[in-house]
Amino acid sequence: MPLTRCLALVGVTVALAVGLTAQAQNPRDRYSPGPEAFTTRVVATGLGNPWEVTWGPDGFLWVTERTGFRVTRINPADGTSHVALTVTDVYQSVDQDGLLGLALHPDLLKDRGRDFVYIAYVYDADPGAAVVRNLRVRRYTYDAGHQTLQAPTDLLDRMPAHDDHGGGRLVYGPDGMLYLSRGDQGSNFLANYCIPNRSQDLPTAAEVQARDWSTYQGKILRLALDGSIPADNPTLNGVRSHVYTSGHRNPQGLVFAPDGLFYAAEHGPSSDDEVNLIAKGKNYGWPNVAGFRDDLGYVYANWSASAPAPCRSLTFDNLNPPPTVPRALESAWQHPDFVAPLVTFFTVPADYDFARLRTATIAPSGIDLYTATAIPGWNRSLLLTGMRSGALYRVKLAPDGRAVAGQPLSYFKTTNRYRDIAISPDGRRIFVSTDDHGVTQDAQAQRTARLANPGAILEFTYVPPAAGGR
Ligand SMILES: [Ca+2]
Ligand SMILES: [Ca+2]
């Protein structure tokens, strides 16, 4: 996409110019707040890491509690909550496992016999004392009389999971299919630095036949509503599987536009969080490319291939891998299906000082698309959470939805980790869920773990300019 690439380069050029005239700083600290005014209200607190929040057809917010193992319906008017389901076989011991995604069937509460609710969660596949994390997608049927989820039906399980980068977002597509994001499990990074990254690996025909989903890491998957492989899924390396797109790191935001365009957000490594336009069969570059294929701020260092010193003999250092670890420039990797992001948070100059200025990411999780007209100028804007920056970002899209228009703006700055977003149908209220622990930054852009509203749902209500223009 030459235009997108051009816009991104303009952004980099502006950043470089600013860097020359002002003291170098983390681009996370430089973003422009949007001009609109909002009031803030705490809707609910005491939730166990609310992970997905979505507006339901009953006017309630449907929430998954990652560490509470509950699907909870919250009345946005008064914060009262109703537990629709407690999942009894969730496995959770770290920050990226537990009960994750939730998707509502569009016929929910429409008297069509399809009151289906889908969840994605981590479970322990080992019957004994050992723990083998796997991910499962399960369907429930909502019983409106009892306000509970009933009749569990497992759709797809035995998908690999681990202790880092779990993805786990689940959405119902306009084509009547389920889409599920899978992270790269943190392979080739931190404690998992000696595990090869499999974001580029695709299943073989024999693996699909054996229902061996071990390559479903760093992917976006497309499932039929019974969990099977749709007949029109892409054929990649000669094999059709659930894999819809590959080359992802940790996508935790998925959203469809009314016209069918499909967007995802994912965490970058030390820079280059991405917002991507997702298309069938495409490759989003990880771990060979982070953000654009520009050789800026990222080189793929494959720790597991260290020789002659074996990986296990090395101490992980993200910024300075030892010479025995093979390194490959982004520009050395070519793939005919590679797609560059629409926008990054953030692409940094080649000489960016990570050690001094810290990682240049916002850590996005949930995203949503603003399709209302209540807030002037917001129609067709992507909203994404910044967990490490304690803000929400708005990315205005071009009229055709295939490029961004202008620079992202930031909103709702608090000392919280925003996990996910929901928008009221009239577009006047925006809800965010917050983690109950973790690191973000405060009003002075200082790193902190003292969160203002842990485990909460917050509401931001648009305040139109006063009539008469005062
Ligand atoms: Ca990418
Ligand atoms: Ca790059």
Side-chain angles (χ1 to χ4, degrees):
M1 275 173 218
L3 175 62
T4 313
R5 177 57 177 252
C6 177
L7 288 172
L9 289 174
V10 168
V12 171
T13 307
V14 169
L16 285 170
V18 170
L20 289 173
T21 54
Q23 193 174 14
Q25 63 177 164
N26 189 314
R28 180 167 60 205
D29 304 341
R30 198 163 52 218
Y31 254 61
S32 330
E36 298 86 356
F38 292 84
T39 58
T40 308
R41 188 172 65 99
V42 178
V43 176
T45 57
L47 300 167
N49 283 291
W51 200 86
E52 167 77 42
V53 55
T54 196
W55 186 277
D58 52 356
F60 279 58
L61 297 167
W62 290 61
V63 174
T64 58
E65 295 179 70
R66 183 178 63 79
T67 58
F69 310 161
R70 291 177 290 264
V71 175
T72 301
R73 294 166 53 250
I74 297 173
N75 184 341
D78 60 12
T80 54
S81 68
H82 306 261
V83 175
L85 172 70
T86 300
V87 187
T88 55
D89 59 344
V90 176
Y91 184 81
Q92 189 277 321
S93 68
V94 292
D95 287 347
Q96 303 223 13
D97 57 8
L99 174 57
L100 301 173
L102 171 140
L104 307 179
H105 193 290
D107 288 345
L108 176 63
L109 293 172
K110 298 225 167 49
D111 278 329
R112 293 175 184 156
R114 290 186 289 271
D115 293 312
F116 297 138
V117 173
Y118 306 88
I119 61 171
Y121 69 96
V122 176
Y123 66 101
D124 176 9
D126 186 289
V131 171
V132 176
R133 286 185 187 81
N134 274 188
L135 188 99
R136 172 181 289 144
V137 174
R138 177 182 277 173
R139 188 192 79 192
Y140 286 85
T141 303
Y142 186 59
D143 177 340
H146 295 95
Q147 300 186 46
T148 55
L149 289 165
Q150 303 287 350
T153 303
D154 291 348
L155 303 182
L156 186 62
D157 51 18
R158 295 182 55 207
M159 286 181 279
H162 206 255
D163 58 5
D164 204 358
H165 296 181
R169 193 66 63 186
L170 187 65
V171 294
Y172 186 100
D175 54 359
M177 299 289 167
L178 291 170
Y179 291 79
L180 172 69
S181 68
R182 304 296 302 124
D184 71 359
Q185 303 194 169
S187 300
N188 197 47
F189 191 60
L190 298 178
N192 300 313
Y193 68 108
C194 291
I195 302 175
N197 191 290
R198 304 201 69 185
S199 292
Q200 291 289 329
D201 291 2
L202 295 166
T204 64
E207 286 170 340
V208 172
Q209 181 70 28
R211 299 182 67 77
D212 171 355
W213 315 128
S214 56
T215 57
Y216 286 6
Q217 305 173 27
K219 306 294 189 303
I220 294 175
L221 307 177
R222 181 174 183 258
L223 289 59
L225 293 187
D226 62 358
S228 65
I229 297 170
D232 57 348
N233 264 17
T235 299
L236 300 168
N237 273 4
V239 178
R240 186 166 51 83
S241 68
H242 294 98
V243 175
Y244 190 66
T245 58
S246 60
H248 299 284
R249 186 172 183 270
N250 194 16
Q252 289 191 7
L254 300 177
V255 67
F256 277 93
D259 61 7
L261 290 180
F262 184 25
Y263 302 92
E266 63 179 278
H267 288 249
S270 299
S271 62
D272 292 291
D273 296 331
E274 300 179 357
V275 175
N276 286 306
L277 181 60
I278 300 298
K280 175 180 176 177
K282 296 299 184 183
N283 186 323
Y284 292 80
W286 184 255
N288 303 82
V289 174
F292 300 94
R293 195 167 57 204
D294 54 10
D295 295 331
L296 295 176
Y298 176 73
V299 174
Y300 174 35
N302 184 357
W303 287 80
S304 64
S306 173
C311 181
R312 279 287 163 215
S313 70
L314 308 174
T315 300
F316 183 71
D317 182 338
N318 193 35
L319 295 173
N320 301 294
T324 60
V325 173
R327 292 160 63 93
L329 290 173
E330 292 180 322
S331 58
W333 181 82
Q334 303 276 346
H335 195 288
D337 294 325
F338 173 66
V339 176
L342 294 178
V343 62
T344 59
F345 296 80
F346 300 90
T347 297
V348 295
D351 63 352
Y352 181 82
D353 187 347
F354 285 101
R356 188 169 67 84
L357 299 173
R358 298 174 291 131
T359 60
T361 66
I362 59 170
S365 177
I367 62 173
D368 217 329
L369 183 71
Y370 192 88
T371 57
T373 54
I375 309 178
W378 278 44
N379 186 263
R380 205 182 265 278
S381 291
L382 285 169
L383 307 180
L384 63 152
T385 59
M387 296 188 292
R388 287 292 291 270
S389 51
L392 183 105
Y393 293 82
R394 180 167 73 87
V395 176
K396 178 77 173 176
L397 294 169
D400 70 357
R402 295 177 180 276
V404 303
Q407 289 291 315
L409 297 172
S410 64
Y411 295 87
F412 308 167
K413 175 65 191 127
T414 65
T415 307
N416 285 302
R417 286 171 59 87
Y418 293 157
R419 178 61 63 171
D420 195 26
I421 307 163
I423 304 171
S424 65
D426 67 5
R428 296 192 180 280
R429 290 176 290 162
I430 297 165
F431 300 90
V432 298
S433 56
T434 67
D435 286 1
D436 74 12
H437 69 282
V439 171
T440 187
Q441 63 185 34
D442 63 18
Q444 286 74 44
Q446 297 301 304
R447 176 187 167 98
T448 181
R450 296 174 60 124
L451 303 177
N453 304 100
I457 304 292
L458 307 181
E459 177 193 74
F460 298 88
T461 301
Y462 175 62
V463 181
R470 286 200 310 131

